Amino acid sequence: MRRFLPVLLLIVSLAAGARAQTASVASPDGSLVVTFSLENGRPTYRIDRFGLPLILPSRMGFVLQEQPPLVGPFRLVGLARDTVDTVWTQPWGEKKDIRSHYHELRLQLEETSERPRRMDIVFRVFDEGVGFRYEWPAQPNLDRFVIMDELTEFRLAGDHMAWWIPAYHPNRYEYLYRHTPVSQLDTVHTPVTMETADGWFLSFHEADVEDYATMTLAPKDSLTLEVDLVPWSDGTRVKAQTPFRSPWRVLLVGDDAGELITNYTILNLNPPNRLGDVSWVRPAKYVGIWWEMHIGRSTWGSGPRHGATTENAKRYIDFAARHGFDAVLIEGWNVGWDGDWTQNGDKFRFTEPYPDFDIEEVARYAREKGVQLIGHHETACHITNYERQMEDAFAFYRRLGIHMVKTGYVAHGRNCVWIDEQGREHREWHHGQFMVRHHRRVLETAARYQIAINAHEPVKDTGERRTYPNMVSREGARGQEYNAWSEDGGNPPEHTTILPFTRLLAGPMDFTPGIFDILIEDRPNNRVNTTLAKQLALYVVIYSPLQMAADLPEHYEARPDAFQFIKDVPVDWEDTRVLHARIGDYVTIVRKDRHSDDWYLGSITDEYGRTLRAPLSFLEPGRKYVAEIYRDAPDADWRTNPLAIEITRQIVDASTVLTLRLAPGGGTAIRFHPVEE
């Protein structure tokens, strides 16, 4: 129960004297302590762990447009404490039941000026991390306001090593991660993950971004990061009206890197499901008309090599039905792809197929075969064009029995277009308040038609899948397609050993694994920089409830032995655990199928070979399992022999310790299923 205390009753918990007032709140196990202070009326906070500083005293506040800044001096007019300890169930996810256990401190601040304004600051402290946000209640002296700068700081206690990607660059989030001391950071996207000299692991992100700009972190000095809100095209950051609140600023903490992966603080800081019954949102494995365009075998645009034809779509549907896949994605079916479509987003028509694609017949054929279609809305980030058609487009798909749509926002730099009521064109970043509002409109509109969304070139994930479970997956990082055409040689082997500790801390990623044509016959200057076994292991390591078997059907049917793992591996999980974790080097993750007693293991390495010992204590005690092992052959190597794979079976139990031998750039994938009595 929340306990409100008037200021006169806070003598015990507040430091005496006119210069400073303080209040503290600890995590349930006492390991994390947040201390809030008013120093001469100016708000600051600090975070300690086991008595050692994580965040040194850091300032808080805002710069407003045409109003005095909200930095103080404030006085504390009220304080409330609360404790929550509940378990909630995800309708789908990497873990079915999630515990939310935290202590909350709410501080009610009021300016000491003649026309005082109110601002509340709320801290929630979990054993695994801290979230805090600002709230502005309805009040006479603050109604509409525009934020020009958020002054929230994170003053670090050391020059930690960080894994990061730059912000405000043309390719949105699609960059390789850099590994440097914090003192060498550029302005960075979040999540940004760090390792301290003491061996603790930290990650900074945000949660519940609803009507606000997303944050980047900018270096203020060598060890201080300051929130830098992505601006509108007019230079403002956030347009607000009370009552209003910011997203949660989040710090995740772990004793080892693997604890970050199983940290659910971001989800716990989001509101519960607002959609009610979401049984129509179904995790799925899919194939589709996609990779063939990336390798140049066919085109998105119309013409003699058009990929999205009725005939080709039926070929993929037949393949999906034959091998038990849930769905087929078809890109390039609708008018608008001809020419340089990235510059002509206003040409897309979301209910008008090209003449060689009979969408009614394809939808009928898919239903007959028991296969779902995944719709596609590429917008080239022309938002006005898309929103004008969005209602009709979702209604069109609903009529055809389509319940999942992949959206796309391919544009570079600040080039998301909208047209105002006066006909003036504006261009925005992908990550500002304008696009946050747009993506929320898409989710809400799609939900009315019982359609789930897989967003590419998205606004970043901040846990809203808890609130809108139809937000099933998104891109938001360098995916598989870079291996098909990137001039830098594609994703290096270490890339996927970094993603679980950075991008994937935000939420599921549609990475599109499973390429068997490692050397890419159609693109002799490109290749996939892994072994075949690692491609299989990615289905467990990189979490998404929507997983693609990205390669061409003929490449899978040429390797039915390895293909069997992709056919077997689920996409909806009861539990997730991490056995090995070293960021940028290797990771081993095990997950339990939500709908059976099977477990699956994925282990991957960077460009160096590894031998790891994997205790199977996660298996049910007293029960025997068949381990179906897909591993690198002894002579496998991502550079010289990437396709060499061994597939073996052995009987194991909870006392077994397996030796995982990972080739350079390699991996191991294992299915464990109980021995039938």
Side-chain angles (χ1 to χ4, degrees), residues 484-503:
W485 39 254
S486 181
E487 293 181 359
D488 64 5
N491 300 322
E494 73 168 8
H495 183 57
T496 46
T497 67
I498 297 174
L499 287 175
F501 308 97
T502 51
R503 159 64 184 86

Side-chain angles (χ1 to χ4, degrees), residues 216-488:
T216 66
L217 293 176
K220 184 178 179 183
D221 57 45
S222 61
L223 297 183
T224 301
L225 301 177
E226 184 176 73
V227 169
D228 181 31
L229 301 175
V230 177
W232 287 75
S233 54
D234 63 7
T236 63
R237 306 301 175 109
V238 176
K239 305 174 191 297
Q241 182 175 12
T242 58
F244 195 70
R245 63 190 187 186
S246 77
W248 296 97
R249 279 61 188 98
V250 182
L251 171 62
L252 308 180
V253 184
D255 287 316
D256 63 65
E259 290 183 3
L260 297 178
I261 294 175
T262 54
N263 188 317
Y264 304 106
T265 301
I266 291 170
L267 280 176
N268 281 328
L269 288 169
N270 276 266
N273 174 15
R274 291 177 182 168
L275 300 182
D277 177 17
V278 289
S279 57
W280 46 272
V281 179
R282 298 186 180 94
K285 279 185 294 186
Y286 70 104
V287 296
I289 302 173
W290 179 77
W291 184 250
E292 65 180 68
M293 278 92 85
H294 281 288
I295 63 175
R297 186 170 291 191
S298 64
T299 62
W300 281 276
S302 62
R305 297 182 3 339
H306 187 212
T309 66
T310 301
E311 179 184 6
N312 200 26
K314 287 184 174 182
R315 182 172 74 92
Y316 277 87
I317 291 168
D318 287 340
F319 175 79
R322 191 159 59 246
H323 294 286
F325 283 87
D326 304 294
V328 174
L329 166 71
I330 302 170
E331 294 195 7
W333 67 268
N334 60 303
V335 169
W337 291 93
D338 295 337
D340 186 358
W341 55 267
T342 66
Q343 302 298 316
N344 299 300
D346 60 331
K347 302 296 191 298
F348 282 111
R349 301 293 176 263
F350 299 102
T351 61
E352 184 179 346
Y354 280 117
D356 58 357
F357 185 75
D358 186 342
I359 192 169
E360 301 277 354
E361 169 59 17
V362 170
R364 183 205 64 79
Y365 190 76
R367 287 194 300 271
E368 179 183 290
K369 294 287 186 175
V371 174
Q372 289 281 317
L373 293 183
I374 299 177
H376 189 226
H377 288 164
E378 175 54 61
T379 69
C381 224
H382 198 297
I383 304 307
T384 298
N385 181 58
Y386 184 38
E387 291 193 350
R388 284 171 179 161
Q389 303 179 64
M390 189 165 62
E391 196 84 31
D392 290 342
F394 284 128
F396 178 69
Y397 275 146
R398 172 69 182 267
R399 181 177 65 79
L400 293 172
I402 294 171
H403 294 281
M404 190 173 296
V405 173
K406 175 181 176 180
T407 59
Y409 296 86
V410 176
H412 294 90
R414 202 188 74 191
N415 276 306
C416 291
V417 177
W418 63 284
I419 311 297
D420 66 22
E421 294 178 353
Q422 288 73 44
R424 294 175 300 217
E425 181 180 280
H426 304 265
R427 293 179 177 266
E428 308 290 349
W429 293 102
H430 281 72
H431 319 301
Q433 186 182 25
F434 173 81
M435 288 300 290
V436 168
R437 290 173 171 176
H438 165 73
H439 282 278
R440 188 58 58 97
R441 283 193 292 271
V442 172
L443 278 183
E444 291 173 344
T445 305
R448 290 202 304 274
Y449 294 95
Q450 295 193 342
I451 288 175
I453 296 296
N454 169 26
H456 280 232
E457 301 80 37
V459 70
K460 65 182 176 182
D461 194 339
T462 60
E464 59 266 47
R465 59 193 165 113
R466 181 183 181 187
T467 313
Y468 293 90
N470 65 324
M471 182 67 256
V472 293
S473 194
R474 67 188 84 196
E475 189 187 36
R478 273 182 65 134
Q480 185 84 267
E481 68 273 16
Y482 276 78
N483 294 317
W485 39 254
S486 181
E487 293 181 359
D488 64 5

